[in-house]
Amino acid sequence: IPDFRTPGTGLYDNLQRYDLPHPSAVFELAFFRANPAPFYALAKELYPGRHPPTVTHHFIKLLHDKGLLQRCFTQNIDSLERATGLPAHKIVAAHGNFDTARCLLGHHACVLQVKSHVDRGEAMHCQECVSVGVHTLVKPDIVFFGENLPERFDDLAASDFPTCDLLIVAGTSLEVHPFAGLIHHAKSGVPRLLVNREVVGEMSPRARKMASLVGHGGFG
């Protein structure tokens, strides 16, 4: 499954034919309003069902089956954790997913209609808005830059991390906040296991000392 940032193969690189001002513009509301085509092309690549869950996704489900998983916090928007059979209450999709959709004014939209438009590469407009003369774009409930994360993210981060006894961090650049800051929510002394292509999340000695003063830790 292609990631976003790997040069040459990442999804951002493959969107350059749309002449993006910068790669992450595909997830910016102002750019989406002006040109929804790149996002709809990306959505087609990521839509649930295009790729099966990986061994890593099934490993997370195995942890649940053995009673070891407290929660899976994910930045992924492809719903592959759920596709393994992992219960929805065990997943925090911090950046949203394709399970629901709405227009930019907040009206709910039919996800089947959204998928049909994504498959055709045709931007969808909200019929409720059109009926009053307003042409408002529809998108899956994926969090764009500048939008708030779901309340569930903050609520469960606050309740889960104080009792965390092992934090597994896998497949992330740890560049997008506030999600990247979760690694510092586990208490000092809690083991953190990084499974990644490259080393990320290291703290300077000064930052590590400051984090320890407030009971937080990090890779180091």
Side-chain angles (χ1 to χ4, degrees):
I1 300 174
D3 61 16
F4 281 97
R5 300 175 186 275
T6 300
T9 61
L11 293 170
Y12 281 154
D13 266 11
N14 293 331
L15 289 172
Q16 289 309 308
R17 65 182 182 275
Y18 290 98
D19 195 26
L20 300 175
H22 50 87
S24 59
V26 70
F27 288 120
E28 292 178 356
L29 286 174
F31 185 83
F32 177 71
R33 289 188 179 99
N35 182 11
F39 173 77
Y40 271 77
L42 179 63
K44 185 174 183 178
E45 177 65 30
L46 292 175
Y47 224 94
R50 184 175 178 88
H51 300 287
T54 66
V55 171
T56 302
H57 294 109
H58 286 289
F59 171 69
I60 297 169
K61 172 61 162 53
L62 180 64
L63 291 177
H64 166 69
D65 292 343
K66 291 183 175 295
L68 298 172
L69 181 70
Q70 181 163 353
R71 203 83 58 190
C72 173
F73 285 78
T74 179
Q75 293 173 284
N76 295 336
I77 60 177
D78 51 24
S79 301
L80 289 179
E81 296 87 2
R82 190 77 180 91
T84 66
L86 187 65
H89 73 274
K90 285 290 185 177
I91 304 168
V92 177
H95 294 165
N97 53 37
F98 293 90
D99 293 352
T100 55
R102 68 192 72 207
C103 79
L104 297 184
L105 292 181
H107 299 124
H108 289 277
C110 172
V111 292
L112 295 178
Q113 292 180 2
V114 174
K115 186 178 188 308
S116 178
H117 279 74
V118 167
D119 288 342
R120 299 197 304 269
E122 176 184 311
M124 179 176 170
H125 290 84
C126 174
Q127 292 306 303
E128 189 170 345
C129 291
V130 169
S131 69
V132 294
V134 179
H135 292 271
T136 310
L137 289 163
V138 171
K139 70 177 181 68
D141 283 334
I142 293 167
V143 179
F144 277 28
F145 291 109
E147 292 186 300
N148 292 327
L149 271 59
E151 289 185 10
R152 193 164 178 270
F153 171 81
D154 289 322
D155 292 345
L156 289 178
S159 62
D160 286 348
F161 278 82
T163 59
C164 171
D165 56 13
L166 171 64
L167 180 63
I168 301 175
V169 181
T172 176
S173 64
L174 288 180
E175 292 184 4
V176 179
H177 290 269
F179 192 95
L182 287 178
I183 63 168
H184 306 307
H185 281 51
K187 291 182 178 179
S188 179
V190 171
R192 292 157 175 81
L193 172 64
L194 177 66
V195 183
N196 221 41
R197 283 185 174 181
E198 59 279 320
V199 175
V200 295
E202 290 187 313
M203 301 175 69
S204 68
R206 182 174 181 273
R208 193 182 309 118
K209 183 176 181 180
M210 292 179 65
S212 67
L213 293 176
V214 294
H216 291 173
F219 296 122

